[in-house]
Amino acid sequence: RLKDDAVTGAKIVAGTIATTDLAYTPVQSLTFRYEFDSQGGAVGAVTLTDTSGAAQQLPAGALVTSAVIKSSGALASSGSATLALGITGTATAFKGATAFDNAAYAGSNAVTAGSTPVYVSSATNVIGTIATATLEGGILDLVVSFIIA
């Protein structure tokens, strides 16, 4: 019987092991994207998508352990636009309103966003909130790591 219950490399590769079979909950991650060309830059909240532009949410029970900002195309604005990153209901869960040209958004280096764990009890959108002025360009990814609690 123990042989049947053992977690083996072959079972993992075959995909026959569920996370409930493990003694720990593995860290998962999702990448959420803001892309001006497809989502625009109007003042207000914008729902971030996966990297191909499809809808994506944090799953129910996700306990976010980290969020990392990666910019692959600098944000642009002719005004003094700010961007906050969060979830529906808590627009600043990951990053408070920060100037579009701040180092957190301006470079291609990954920057940790927020240090307080965030828990979502139901599937939840990740959002960017544009304020003060419109954004006029840019691509930004937010890599969110979490466990299911």
Side-chain angles (χ1 to χ4, degrees):
R1 175 81 177 121
L2 288 177
K3 180 180 174 187
D4 292 335
D5 290 340
V7 175
T8 64
K11 287 181 180 178
I12 292 171
V13 170
T16 59
I17 302 296
T19 56
T20 54
D21 295 329
L22 304 175
Y24 68 95
T25 302
V27 174
Q28 301 175 52
S29 66
L30 292 171
T31 299
F32 294 88
R33 174 166 284 178
Y34 164 76
E35 186 167 0
F36 173 79
D37 288 345
S38 61
Q39 294 167 300
V43 169
V46 60
T47 301
L48 305 187
T49 64
D50 70 9
T51 56
S52 66
Q56 176 174 254
Q57 293 183 312
L58 281 173
L63 176 61
V64 175
T65 57
S66 73
V68 176
I69 300 167
K70 292 171 41 179
S71 176
S72 58
L75 298 179
S77 176
S78 58
S80 54
T82 63
L83 178 66
L85 298 170
I87 56 174
T88 301
T90 310
T92 60
F94 304 126
K95 185 87 173 153
T98 302
F100 77 96
D101 56 355
N102 182 279
Y105 299 143
S108 60
N109 297 325
V111 177
T112 300
S115 58
T116 304
V118 174
Y119 177 75
V120 297
S121 57
S122 60
T124 303
N125 289 325
V126 173
I127 61 170
T129 303
I130 302 165
T132 312
T134 60
L135 286 174
E136 298 165 356
I139 300 171
L140 180 133
D141 289 336
L142 182 68
V143 180
V144 179
S145 297
F146 60 93
I147 60 170
I148 300 297

